[in-house]
Amino acid sequence: MSSRRAQLLSLDAMVSLVIVVFVFTAVLNTSSALKGEITSMLGWYERANIADNMLDIMIKTQGEPADWYQSPGSVKIVGLRSDSSLTGVDYKRVKALALNFNNKNVSGALNNMGTGKDFLLEFYISSFNVSIEGRFPRVHVPNITFADKKGGGVRFDIQGSPNGNDYFSVSYIKITKANGSVYKNENITRLSNNLNIEVNRGDIVEIVTASTTYITTTNAEVPSGLCNSAYSRGNTCVIGPLPENTRITIYATNPQSNFKIQLENKNNWKRIRLTSGEGNVVVTVSAYDNTTPKISSSYTFYTSLMEKKTPTYWFAVINGTPTQDRNSVLASMDRSPWIEPAERRITIARLEYNLSAGPSATDPMVYGLLTSQLPQGAYLSVSAPNSQGNATFVALSGSRLLGLMVYRDKTGGILRGVLVENRTSGVVLKYYSGTASSISIPLKDIFGEGSGMVLGLWFYSLNGWARGDVSINIEPSIEWSLKPKAEPALVKLTVWDDS
């Protein structure tokens, strides 16, 4: 009996031992798996925190020192928060970071924030893009009143050659009588009497030429450099040749003597000449190319840039070295066992006032929200070398878009300006004459006289002159009349470890 009891006890003990071993093994396996999961979760949390912490520091602080963007080499902590907003990001800080990412102090500060990990930083910023298509008109006669020194009448005519009162061709003609009645093209023949159309006080004649023309005047006060020395003699000034497709506008102030439009044939309004006004004619004349460029702007939302994967600014730091080589970035990411992205939708506060900036279709010289009316008498001043060249600008005020060109046609000539708008094709809003060295354009002509609107000025292009030889100023400064304009944006940070 005792032998059988011992065998049973041994069998029970063995079964129990096996069960205990199984339970112990299961516990050990569970503990190892749990430990692995905890370790993996802690690693993920640590990696995810790098991106989130970096973004939080950059977005929620101004950095150290707070004015680091003015001297990027002094930075210890990169912060982007706006001075004027607790939640917005400052565009000038973002731009300073984007333009100085390879500064060793900047990349070093970012490397410390990222605890030595590799990262890619991208900014998608909503913004304007402006364009000018076509040619600005050259002004041949800048709204001059032809009169003698006492304001009295002079001889004046327009002709097809510099030596005689020839007929010339027109593609358009409009006569607005002093009483308000309007006659265009073939309808002007209704005004003719024996081929002649009288031009009376207060009448306005607008012509677009279809052949070369010349303006001849005697005893008139004409600005220096306007008369063609090859044809002008004594008190007689010949202006031209004015090319085909020149728009000429004549306002008759005091046509007292024989001032008429004469048709070559009774029913042919396309061939005319002006009979000489002798002695008592006073007219105000402008003449410029009948072409205006198309001025346009587009506003691109950051979401469109995201879809195209074209950030406004971007750079990466790999193993402590800054780079903008996309292939190197992708190769480094491929070598990493993990990649953690983070992003923030932000509001970026943009105020630009840099009159030393170079030409750009995207970066304005002046940009912001106009909080008060522009100062009385404020003007844009442009100085340029004494050689042929031009500078073009695009101006935005609210929804209104204009183009401005400052130019010099020939060495030694005066600077001229022409302001155009898209609303009416072929029509110049204003034209300006300067001196041999500079020209001033009233700001009210460019931006209007309102307030509470977005205001922008793009220095669009420069031809014939070096940027360092062109001076652009606004007098008095309007910087303090502007406040930052809020723009939607997104910042994205991707962190990995290519070690």
Side-chain angles (χ1 to χ4, degrees):
M1 285 292 290
S2 62
S3 176
R4 289 184 61 191
R5 185 179 300 157
Q7 289 178 353
L8 289 172
L9 288 173
S10 297
L11 183 60
D12 290 343
M14 186 177 295
V15 171
S16 298
L17 181 61
V18 169
I19 293 172
V20 168
V21 169
F22 273 117
V23 170
F24 184 70
T25 302
V27 169
L28 284 178
N29 288 339
T30 301
S31 177
S32 297
L34 185 59
K35 181 179 178 181
E37 289 295 325
I38 292 172
T39 302
S40 177
M41 182 173 291
L42 288 174
W44 171 84
Y45 186 74
E46 180 184 6
R47 297 194 302 267
N49 265 359
I50 294 173
D52 283 326
N53 287 342
M54 281 186 70
L55 284 181
D56 284 343
I57 291 170
M58 284 193 290
I59 291 172
K60 296 179 180 179
T61 71
Q62 295 177 338
E64 185 181 331
D67 63 350
W68 67 267
Y69 62 92
Q70 297 178 348
S71 179
S74 67
V75 70
K76 293 180 175 59
I77 298 175
V78 176
L80 306 175
R81 199 192 82 198
S82 169
D83 298 331
S84 59
S85 170
L86 295 177
T87 57
V89 167
D90 187 358
Y91 183 83
K92 60 180 176 285
R93 287 180 167 86
V94 172
K95 192 172 182 179
L97 173 59
L99 297 180
N100 296 277
F101 72 91
N102 55 359
N103 179 291
K104 64 179 183 179
N105 288 350
V106 174
S107 61
L110 291 169
N111 201 46
N112 291 337
M113 293 165 63
T115 65
K117 298 295 189 292
D118 311 301
F119 65 87
L120 167 66
L121 187 60
E122 299 171 295
F123 293 93
Y124 297 85
I125 303 172
S126 304
S127 63
F128 281 98
N129 187 299
V130 299
S131 66
I132 299 176
E133 297 177 22
R135 185 177 180 272
F136 272 87
R138 263 56 174 183
V139 176
H140 307 296
V141 180
N143 211 41
I144 293 175
T145 297
F146 289 89
D148 65 18
K149 294 180 180 179
K150 297 180 181 180
V154 296
R155 175 179 178 268
F156 177 90
D157 59 38
I158 300 177
Q159 54 204 19
S161 75
N163 302 313
N165 195 18
D166 304 341
Y167 290 97
F168 59 91
S169 299
V170 299
S171 60
Y172 172 86
I173 185 168
K174 175 183 174 182
I175 301 173
T176 304
K177 303 297 289 182
N179 63 9
S181 56
V182 176
Y183 301 84
K184 291 183 184 179
N185 297 339
E186 63 272 7
N187 289 334
I188 71 167
T189 60
R190 293 160 53 189
L191 297 172
S192 65
N193 179 16
N194 202 21
L195 300 180
N196 293 323
I197 299 173
E198 298 282 347
V199 180
N200 302 309
R201 181 193 299 270
D203 290 352
I204 300 173
V205 180
E206 298 172 68
I207 298 168
V208 177
T209 65
S211 61
T212 302
T213 52
Y214 297 81
I215 292 175
T216 299
T217 183
T218 302
N219 294 326
E221 287 287 292
V222 182
S224 175
L226 198 59
C227 302
N228 187 327
S229 59
Y231 306 118
S232 301
R233 298 288 185 273
N235 292 328
T236 297
C237 168
V238 178
I239 301 170
L242 305 180
E244 178 183 343
N245 208 35
T246 294
R247 178 179 287 267
I248 303 174
T249 302
I250 305 166
Y251 174 69
T253 305
N254 185 25
Q256 292 294 314
S257 174
N258 194 34
F259 192 46
K260 302 178 180 67
I261 297 173
Q262 191 173 72
L263 306 177
E264 187 173 34
N265 298 300
K266 184 174 182 180
N267 296 315
N268 184 12
W269 61 271
K270 292 186 177 182
R271 290 281 294 174
I272 65 171
R273 67 182 180 184
L274 269 67
T275 59
S276 300
E278 302 287 354
N280 290 314
V281 173
V282 179
V283 293
T284 299
V285 180
S286 65
Y288 50 87
D289 298 343
N290 189 47
T291 58
T292 52
K294 180 182 179 183
I295 313 297
S296 59
S297 73
S298 59
Y299 187 78
T300 303
F301 280 94
Y302 72 93
T303 50
S304 296
L305 298 177
M306 290 173 59
E307 290 171 1
K308 297 176 183 177
K309 296 183 179 179
T310 55
T312 308
Y313 300 117
W314 76 274
F315 64 89
V317 175
I318 301 174
N319 295 324
T321 302
T323 182
Q324 284 187 315
D325 184 342
R326 281 284 185 186
N327 292 330
S328 297
V329 173
L330 294 174
S332 179
M333 286 182 175
D334 286 341
R335 292 191 293 267
S336 175
W338 56 269
I339 297 175
E340 293 296 340
E343 63 182 43
R344 299 284 190 279
R345 295 179 189 272
I346 57 175
T347 297
I348 199 162
R350 186 168 190 178
L351 174 62
E352 300 269 15
Y353 202 86
N354 180 13
L355 300 180
S356 299
S360 174
T362 55
D363 293 334
M365 303 184 85
V366 177
Y367 185 79
L369 192 63
L370 186 64
T371 58
S372 60
Q373 287 191 335
L374 297 170
Q376 286 292 324
Y379 60 89
L380 173 72
S381 172
V382 180
S383 300
N386 189 20
S387 58
Q388 185 175 349
N390 65 75
T392 56
F393 302 83
V394 174
L396 172 74
S397 55
S399 61
R400 190 177 186 223
L401 200 66
L402 295 94
L404 170 68
M405 183 176 71
V406 172
Y407 67 98
R408 192 196 312 275
D409 274 336
K410 60 182 179 180
T411 299
I414 64 171
L415 284 173
R416 300 186 185 279
V418 56
L419 188 68
V420 301
E421 189 177 13
N422 280 341
R423 292 181 182 177
T424 307
S425 177
V427 173
V428 173
L429 289 182
K430 292 283 181 73
Y431 17 75
Y432 310 89
S433 296
T435 66
S437 59
S438 66
I439 188 170
S440 298
I441 315 294
L443 283 191
K444 66 180 180 63
D445 292 353
I446 301 173
F447 297 120
E449 299 183 82
S451 61
M453 59 192 178
V454 177
L455 181 150
L457 180 67
W458 285 260
F459 182 16
Y460 184 77
S461 67
L462 183 68
N463 294 300
W465 299 320
R467 179 63 182 95
D469 295 333
V470 176
S471 175
I472 301 170
N473 292 292
I474 292 178
E475 299 291 344
S477 173
I478 62 170
E479 184 173 6
W480 314 118
S481 300
L482 300 170
K483 73 175 185 180
K485 169 69 169 59
E487 310 275 359
L490 179 134
V491 57
K492 183 177 180 180
L493 180 66
T494 306
V495 179
W496 67 96
D497 189 13
D498 176 18
S499 56

